[in-house]
Amino acid sequence: WALERSKRCTDIANALGTKLVVLWLAREGTYIRESKNAIEAYRRVMDEYAQGEWARQARWSIAECRINLSEWTEGIRAYRAYLEAFPKDGQADEARRRIEVLKDLARYQRLVDEKEQPKAFDAQFQIGTIVRDRLANPVKAIIEFRKVAERWKQSHLSDDALFEVGKLYLQLAETGKARDALLAVAERYPSSPLADDALFLVGQSHESEGLAL
């Protein structure tokens, strides 16, 4: 995922004729600010190089940035704009699929935002699950699952959410962060059925590191 983003950045820099790019080793905490900055940059590509080869990709990337910002409705608009501009493009079917996914996310988001909604934590967990499974975006899924663990610490899904965070970090090879999240499951929720699973994954991560030496 990170390599593909880096390659895209280099390609855009080449298209713009610049020899300099800024390498920003971001983590999920900087995701929102950088997505906003990216949208402005992509819009400039579309405005100034409307007939260039990167205008199409810039329009698609804006929709992805809307996802990173949890702006599901804006993401729907962005994908619809993409389809209007490139109805026969190879990614058109995927754009239509994502529109339906974002509709589900927007519906759950309304529940999350509803004042005194007793199932808000459940809706937030569903958002994380959809982003993980149907959008295949582990970094964004971590952000969404963390919201459950941090905002609804006493809910029955808080341990599940933190456990998912740990597993996703393992998937991303962020072993240290994975262990922190998994150990937190066992420490905060010792009676959770996931506590021993979390500790087992921590043990496995250490064993894997040892075998790799």
Side-chain angles (χ1 to χ4, degrees), residues 147-183:
K147 291 177 184 178
V148 180
E150 294 171 1
R151 293 175 59 183
W152 296 279
K153 294 180 179 180
Q154 303 307 314
S155 75
H156 72 273
L157 289 176
S158 183
D159 55 334
D160 295 79
L162 202 52
F163 186 69
E164 292 300 327
V165 169
K167 289 197 301 180
L168 286 165
Y169 272 132
L170 285 176
Q171 179 183 326
L172 294 169
E174 294 273 5
T175 309
K177 292 179 180 179
R179 289 172 186 159
D180 288 343
L182 294 168
L183 288 172

